[in-house]
Amino acid sequence: LHDALPILSNAGVSETDVIYITVKQDWDNGRAEYEVDFIAGGMEYEYEIDAASGNVISWEAESVYD
């Protein structure tokens, strides 16, 4: 979870707000990526992170109540 702290900051949530998190490595277009999914504050967040640089490739958030 410590490595995900910059992502949590990007989402505007704190570590104590997260009630569920998964991280898995994947390959897309010949590039290693991490897929990070977590739930915090009634929202579900999905991030794709470049494994080499740590840059956010894409992200989205939606209410868990939808």
Side-chain angles (χ1 to χ4, degrees):
L1 181 58
H2 179 72
D3 292 337
L5 290 179
I7 298 166
L8 300 180
S9 176
N10 178 276
V13 300
S14 70
E15 184 177 354
T16 58
D17 294 330
V18 176
I19 59 171
Y20 174 81
I21 188 168
T22 63
V23 179
K24 64 181 183 176
Q25 187 174 8
D26 195 12
W27 288 87
D28 191 21
N29 297 323
R31 175 178 57 197
E33 296 179 351
Y34 292 109
E35 296 177 0
V36 182
D37 300 321
F38 61 94
I39 296 174
M43 298 292 289
E44 180 180 3
Y45 298 87
E46 298 177 7
Y47 278 78
E48 291 184 4
I49 309 297
D50 184 291
S53 69
N55 292 331
V56 175
I57 298 167
S58 67
W59 71 277
E60 60 183 57
E62 64 181 37
S63 173
V64 295
Y65 305 109
D66 288 342

